[in-house]
Amino acid sequence: MSLVAEALVSQVAGKVPFIHVGNQVVSELGPIVQFVKAKGHSLSDGLDEVQKAEMKAYMELVNNMLLTAELYLQWCDEATVGEITHSRYGFPYPWPLNHILAYQKQWEVKRKMKAIGWGNKTLDQVLEDVDQCCQALSQRLGTQPYFFNKQPTELDALVFGHLFTILTTQLTNDELSEKVKNYSNLLAFCRRIEQNYFGENGKGRIPLRLA
Amino acid sequence: MAAPMELYCWAGGWGLPSVDLESLVVLTYARFTGAPLKVHKITNPWRSPSGTLPALRTSDAGVISQLHQIITHLRKQKYNADYDLSARQGADTLAFMSLLEEKLLPVLIHTFWVDAKNYVELTRKWYAEAMPFPLNLFLPGRMQKKYLERLQLLCGEQRPMEEEEVEKKLYREARECLTLLSQRLGSQKFFFGDSPASLDAFVFSYVALLLQAKLPNGKLQTHVRGLSNLCTYCTHILSLYFPWDGAEAPPPRPAPSTSETDEEPYRRREQILSVLAGLAAMVGYALLSGIVSIQRAAPVRTSGTRALGIAEEEEDE
């Protein structure tokens, strides 16, 4: 998340990502997908009921494990917190607000971790969970180009978003991205989407580079 | 190979082997895998070796009290319900368990512990009647606070005006989740074919609690009843793996009548005690304030006439 976006979040009091369409602001992936579907564009129309169930389940898996692991690493790993997160989070605010807000956010995240049972986990256990999650995704993907064969769906978008962020964000240690790099089909998946949708010859206009 | 392991879990009720979700999951998983567990069904969490329920006491790894860790330990002891699953099915298991935790767990907590009618008439009543005195006075309330906090952290902080909307969203997502599970199950006996896996233990526990508990406010219950394959799935597992626990269901029903007859001697005893206490208070007041005075050193007959004298005095006053 860029600093600008985070600052905007505190003003809009909503969540990132959000899209602005005319008078409406729609935030978060789920509602955005519903909104776009209402306008007549949906990626998962071609799936049958069982596949839709699986897609939703895998999306929850990503939210449950990858998102929580990213949050953990950002806020509960002391090395990362001290070097990167605190200063990044508090950057838009004057002293002493930057420290206060950062500590408050850290306290909130730690409370949430405790509530879902991650409070006592060590970094190694969290990395193992990430590995399990990646293994599940890798097995589901197999040798297919996308999770539901030929056409990308919301799940592909979600997985790409998370994996790409993990692979390209520089942290104090590289263990998280190393875990993802162990799965070659996931790496190939990310490269494929980047080239097809974000490359210079692709459909999008945002240039991204995957090291 | 495994040393006897002891499982401490919440007791049964509402036609189920346990009223608590996590205890039910462990019990079901143990039945599926045939793990030799010595089960202690208790109603006092302070008697558990870890202070919480469920808890597994093992000979080599101490006491384990986190649900997923208990199941991992059982797997390590070669009681693995997922042994026959393919890699892809294992991945699906992980995905569906996340779905359950994200979509169904908040609603389960809300239905049993936050919804006012359900909490007062069902949950708190069961726990208060089951727990020993004096724990039943404060523990249910404490448990409710803990669950409420957990729910708030799971769903994010909301302002009071948005609470109803958030609640509607929660229940809508739960209904969707149940429908998805029903679609995934289809007409199979278990989620992955003919033998049960760990995912079945989880899904069964969630759905059985929602289905069997006599909830006064059962919005989700109606939806579950509409998904006939899930209902059949639950009753099938109950009858196959918990047949004698199903027979425990009748005792809770006559229990209210036996508890009433039990209460009668207590009631009578309390009545007698209160009458005696009242009499003692009256006599004591009479003696102390001088209305009645007892003078000793009189033989039985004279004390009888004296008593009459006293009665006459009192009547005069």
Side-chain angles (χ1 to χ4, degrees):
Chain A
M1 245 197 316
S2 76
L3 297 166
V4 173
E6 283 203 63
L8 261 178
V9 164
S10 59
Q11 291 165 20
V12 174
K15 295 192 177 168
V16 178
F18 62 87
I19 54 173
H20 203 146
V21 180
N23 282 344
Q24 288 177 293
V25 174
V26 186
S27 61
E28 288 193 315
L29 178 64
I32 291 179
V33 166
Q34 294 292 342
F35 181 80
V36 172
K37 193 173 176 175
K39 299 288 179 189
H41 304 280
S42 171
L43 287 178
S44 48
D45 278 343
L47 302 179
D48 65 31
E49 298 298 339
V50 174
Q51 285 176 317
K52 277 195 187 152
E54 281 182 13
M55 186 183 84
K56 289 256 161 74
Y58 275 94
M59 284 173 78
E60 285 310 323
L61 176 68
V62 172
N63 278 334
N64 202 348
M65 290 216 161
L66 282 186
L67 188 59
T68 318
E70 285 159 15
L71 216 55
Y72 180 94
L73 209 59
Q74 265 191 314
W75 292 102
C76 301
D77 176 41
E78 293 304 330
T80 318
V81 169
E83 275 190 45
I84 300 177
T85 321
H86 254 214
S87 40
R88 240 179 45 161
Y89 191 78
F91 180 75
Y93 309 106
W95 187 90
L97 211 54
N98 53 354
H99 288 301
I100 296 175
L101 288 176
Y103 278 118
Q104 188 188 44
K105 174 80 180 180
Q106 189 181 16
W107 181 76
E108 267 176 39
V109 172
K110 281 198 169 151
R111 252 179 88 207
K112 179 158 185 198
M113 291 292 156
K114 206 167 154 198
I116 55 177
W118 282 52
N120 293 331
K121 285 201 178 178
T122 60
L123 184 61
D124 285 331
Q125 283 171 328
V126 170
L127 289 173
E128 213 185 283
D129 283 341
V130 170
D131 189 52
Q132 247 190 4
C133 179
C134 290
Q135 194 183 30
L137 288 171
S138 172
Q139 274 155 6
R140 184 64 180 82
L141 182 63
T143 48
Q144 301 171 119
Y146 300 107
F147 278 95
F148 290 97
N149 210 4
K150 301 255 171 42
Q151 291 301 322
T153 57
E154 290 95 336
L155 177 61
D156 300 278
L158 185 67
V159 172
F160 173 72
H162 278 280
L163 291 184
F164 191 83
T165 316
I166 291 176
L167 287 166
T168 53
T169 309
Q170 282 228 331
L171 293 175
T172 45
N173 62 10
D174 286 330
E175 287 179 36
L176 193 59
S177 54
E178 288 303 316
K179 289 283 175 197
V180 177
K181 285 182 186 160
N182 281 338
Y183 298 96
S184 53
N185 63 345
L186 290 180
L187 268 185
F189 170 79
C190 287
R191 282 212 182 90
R192 190 181 312 122
I193 293 191
E194 193 212 358
Q195 278 166 3
N196 288 347
Y197 294 92
F198 296 102
E200 284 161 14
N201 303 327
K203 302 173 190 173
R205 274 179 288 144
I206 312 164
L208 297 170
R209 273 181 301 115
L210 189 60
Chain B
M1 178 200 163
M5 297 177 277
E6 292 176 53
L7 176 71
Y8 294 81
C9 63
W10 282 105
W14 310 325
L16 294 171
S18 176
V19 299
D20 171 60
L21 178 72
E22 297 191 347
S23 309
L24 193 54
V25 171
V26 181
L27 279 173
T28 317
Y29 187 84
R31 285 286 164 97
F32 283 168
T33 55
L37 286 182
K38 194 165 163 220
V39 179
H40 300 271
K41 285 197 183 166
I42 55 181
T43 54
N44 181 353
W46 289 10
R47 272 181 58 205
S48 142
S50 69
T52 58
L53 294 171
L56 185 72
R57 179 185 268 152
T58 61
S59 53
D60 48 349
V63 176
I64 312 176
S65 49
Q66 255 242 331
L67 175 63
H68 287 280
Q69 285 173 5
I70 294 180
I71 298 210
T72 313
H73 182 84
L74 286 174
R75 278 207 189 113
K76 284 196 195 139
Q77 301 289 329
K78 314 271 192 242
Y79 297 107
N80 188 357
D82 297 337
Y83 190 71
D84 292 325
L85 294 185
S86 69
R88 165 85 180 256
Q89 288 171 326
D92 282 352
T93 302
L94 219 57
F96 277 96
M97 295 233 248
S98 299
L99 188 70
L100 285 174
E101 263 180 45
E102 287 281 319
K103 303 282 177 178
L104 266 193
L105 182 61
V107 165
L108 206 76
I109 295 180
H110 188 277
T111 305
F112 281 88
W113 293 94
V114 179
D115 183 281
K117 205 156 178 220
N118 287 340
Y119 173 63
V120 168
E121 291 178 28
L122 185 74
T123 320
R124 190 175 68 179
K125 185 155 172 269
W126 188 90
Y127 280 94
E129 281 173 7
M131 286 186 192
F133 180 85
L135 290 175
N136 60 350
L137 295 177
F138 60 89
L139 260 190
R142 211 202 274 183
M143 286 170 77
Q144 191 206 22
K145 265 197 205 132
K146 205 183 69 175
Y147 277 110
L148 193 55
E149 201 188 303
R150 193 165 160 197
L151 186 61
Q152 276 177 345
L153 285 170
L154 277 175
C155 303
E157 300 289 333
Q158 321 114 8
R159 295 158 234 166
M161 333 169 250
E162 292 179 351
E163 248 181 59
E164 236 192 81
E165 273 197 38
V166 174
E167 217 182 278
K168 274 194 207 147
K169 181 173 159 226
L170 268 185
Y171 276 89
R172 194 180 56 227
E173 291 188 344
R175 279 193 288 266
E176 231 182 68
C177 173
L178 287 165
T179 316
L180 285 174
L181 286 171
S182 171
Q183 280 161 356
R184 180 64 177 77
L185 179 65
S187 53
Q188 299 173 103
K189 258 169 54 183
F190 298 103
F191 273 91
F192 297 116
D194 282 334
S195 54
S198 54
L199 181 62
D200 297 285
F202 279 84
V203 175
F204 163 72
S205 306
Y206 277 92
V207 179
L209 268 173
L210 283 172
L211 208 53
Q212 299 269 103
K214 294 183 182 25
L215 297 162
N217 212 354
K219 324 178 227 186
L220 214 51
Q221 219 170 40
T222 338
H223 185 83
V224 180
R225 290 216 176 103
L227 299 166
S228 58
N229 64 345
L230 281 183
C231 297
T232 326
Y233 172 75
C234 274
T235 32
H236 177 69
I237 292 185
L238 260 180
S239 61
L240 207 59
Y241 292 95
F242 297 103
W244 44 93
D245 287 323
E248 278 176 28
R253 272 179 236 125
S257 51
T258 50
S259 64
E260 275 172 4
T261 49
D262 278 342
E263 276 177 32
E264 276 184 25
Y266 290 133
R267 210 182 288 159
R268 204 161 290 149
R269 192 176 71 181
E270 276 169 28
Q271 282 171 349
I272 294 171
L273 277 174
S274 51
V275 167
L276 282 176
L279 271 176
M282 277 170 25
V283 168
Y285 176 71
L287 284 173
L288 287 171
S289 60
I291 299 172
V292 172
S293 57
I294 296 178
Q295 286 165 10
R296 295 201 182 179
V300 178
R301 279 184 210 154
T302 40
S303 70
T305 47
R306 275 195 184 274
L308 284 172
I310 291 167
E312 282 173 17
E313 262 185 65
E314 279 186 275
E315 279 177 12
D316 287 343
E317 287 182 8

